[in-house]
Amino acid sequence: MTATTSFRTRVALAATFGALAATPVLAENIVFTSWGGTTQQAQQKHWAKPFAAANGINVAMDGPTDYGKFKAMVESGNVTWDVVDVEGDFAYKAAKDGLLEPLDLSKLKGIDPRFSSPNAVGSFYYSFVLGYNKSAFKGAAPSSWADLFDLKRFPGKRTLYKWSAPGVLEIALLADGVPANKLYPLDLDRAFKKLDTIKSQIVWWSGGAQSQQLLASGETPIGMFWNGRVNALQQSKAPVGMSWKQNLTAADMLVIPKGSKNKEAAMKFLAYATSPEAQAKFATETGYAPINLQAKSKMAPEAVKALPDQYGASQINLDMRYWADHRDEIAKRWYAWQTK
């Protein structure tokens, strides 16, 4: 995925990193790259700042994550990022392609084994959910992926994730009646045919901050979102709702690019960011589930109720290894379809 920085993303990042200028200059520096907006603000607040205070290592923020830039800097040997928040399928593929440093797993304690590999450790655990603006739907609220594709009952623009990545194709197939246990291998012909039915009404979002703006403003009153982004809007009292029906789950992963000049400090940061305390505070603020098995015991019961893992009965796990094996071929078709 080659992510382009939108105007709104740049605004969000400026807000995110504005406080960094006030951070004292410490002996060491590492650069942490993530996806911007409220999620990266929480990562900075609960991971980067307390880590810097405890270890004397500044954590400069950059973003959004851009896989084309990631690959180019590793291949050129000019690596300026030290820790990067990536999607799970990219982590698998990048490890296979030799783009990642091996991790010292002995320094990572209590990690859910589903989110640990020799080259990557979980960042947080999320769901794609159906989100909607309550002010746009005075009658029955949309509640399913089929509703997202129903232009008669729920007219208007809808917003979907722009990049070729796990999520949108699965949603199209589920809306077309494919059973959850029959999603893979993806029937691409069927998925694109379903997407054709709403193509004229799609507004693409390329980053989390942009998705929040589109939903909260009502510009696109219905769409697919990371659950934490809708949760943040609800916390700010925006008139938005979400449905957990057939929520699609996956985890972001933290990786160290091959050739990082600050690998030892980056490894210390990974150990801190994935610790029970840091994971619990991040999860409480964002609504994303922690990847440390001890974290939830440090959270208030009300905060735990908002996590994606509380909706397991209606949950579908995205197959990141399928995507790692097929990302490139799907991407060619995805971007060609978008431009038609």
Side-chain angles (χ1 to χ4, degrees), residues 5-334:
T5 308
S6 70
F7 171 75
R8 292 189 182 95
T9 302
R10 291 197 297 272
V11 170
L13 289 171
T16 300
F17 309 143
L20 191 64
T23 303
V25 177
L26 301 179
E28 293 183 81
N29 293 280
I30 62 171
V31 177
F32 173 56
T33 297
S34 189
W35 299 93
T38 53
T39 299
Q40 192 163 357
Q41 288 170 3
Q43 289 172 325
Q44 184 180 33
K45 177 181 177 182
H46 298 298
W47 300 354
K49 288 186 175 180
F51 170 78
N55 294 277
I57 301 172
N58 266 333
V59 183
M61 292 284 155
D62 199 359
T65 297
D66 181 322
Y67 297 148
K69 184 175 180 179
F70 187 115
K71 185 177 181 182
M73 69 168 58
V74 171
E75 291 179 343
S76 69
N78 184 26
V79 179
T80 57
W81 293 345
D82 298 300
V83 177
V84 186
D85 191 306
V86 302
E87 293 160 294
D89 64 316
F90 178 81
Y92 291 130
K93 183 69 163 55
K96 188 182 295 185
D97 293 345
L99 301 178
L100 306 180
E101 291 283 352
L103 303 185
D104 184 352
L105 299 180
S106 68
K107 296 181 178 178
L108 306 175
K109 309 293 186 184
I111 307 299
D112 185 326
R114 293 178 297 169
F115 310 128
S116 178
S117 72
N119 299 89
V121 62
S123 177
F124 55 85
Y125 176 37
Y126 64 87
S127 285
F128 278 120
V129 296
L130 177 76
Y132 57 94
N133 190 308
K134 295 178 180 177
S135 60
F137 304 110
K138 302 301 183 185
S143 63
S144 69
W145 298 125
D147 291 342
L148 180 65
F149 283 78
D150 191 337
L151 296 176
K152 290 184 178 178
R153 290 185 65 207
F154 303 102
K157 298 293 184 181
R158 37 263 292 146
T159 187
L160 301 173
Y161 192 36
K162 178 178 181 179
W163 310 112
S164 174
V168 177
L169 294 172
E170 286 87 344
I171 286 171
L173 291 171
L174 291 167
D176 204 39
V178 175
N181 62 354
K182 302 292 185 184
L183 278 176
Y184 299 98
L186 296 175
D187 184 337
L188 298 179
D189 290 339
R190 185 170 177 175
F192 280 109
K193 185 177 180 181
K194 186 66 175 178
L195 284 166
D196 281 338
T197 65
I198 62 168
K199 189 173 184 179
S200 65
Q201 297 301 309
I202 296 174
V203 177
W204 301 105
W205 57 266
S206 58
Q210 183 186 14
S211 74
Q212 290 172 302
Q213 190 280 330
L214 288 168
L215 180 60
S217 68
E219 182 178 347
T220 56
I222 183 173
M224 65 174 288
F225 303 91
W226 290 313
N227 73 284
R229 300 294 179 160
V230 183
N231 180 71
L233 291 175
Q234 290 178 323
Q235 296 302 315
S236 68
K237 308 302 182 186
V240 301
M242 71 173 121
S243 170
W244 290 92
K245 187 176 182 179
Q246 292 185 319
N247 67 96
L248 297 163
T249 64
D252 266 17
M253 307 294 284
L254 299 173
V255 300
I256 300 176
K258 189 76 172 180
S260 162
K261 299 176 181 62
N262 304 292
K263 183 182 175 183
E264 185 175 347
M267 198 62 233
K268 290 180 180 177
F269 177 70
L270 289 188
Y272 186 91
T274 58
S275 66
E277 294 77 11
Q279 284 281 307
K281 292 176 180 176
F282 175 81
T284 297
E285 178 162 334
T286 63
Y288 292 128
I291 52 79
N292 192 300
L293 295 171
Q294 301 167 17
K296 282 197 288 189
S297 66
K298 300 180 181 298
M299 298 173 62
E302 287 303 313
V304 171
K305 289 180 181 177
L307 301 179
D309 57 8
Q310 302 301 297
Y311 298 88
S314 57
Q315 208 160 70
I316 301 168
N317 293 319
L318 293 166
D319 189 339
M320 292 296 166
R321 294 193 182 279
Y322 169 85
W323 271 91
D325 291 338
H326 298 280
R327 173 183 273 265
D328 292 343
E329 65 189 70
I330 293 174
K332 290 179 182 177
R333 184 164 178 177
W334 176 258

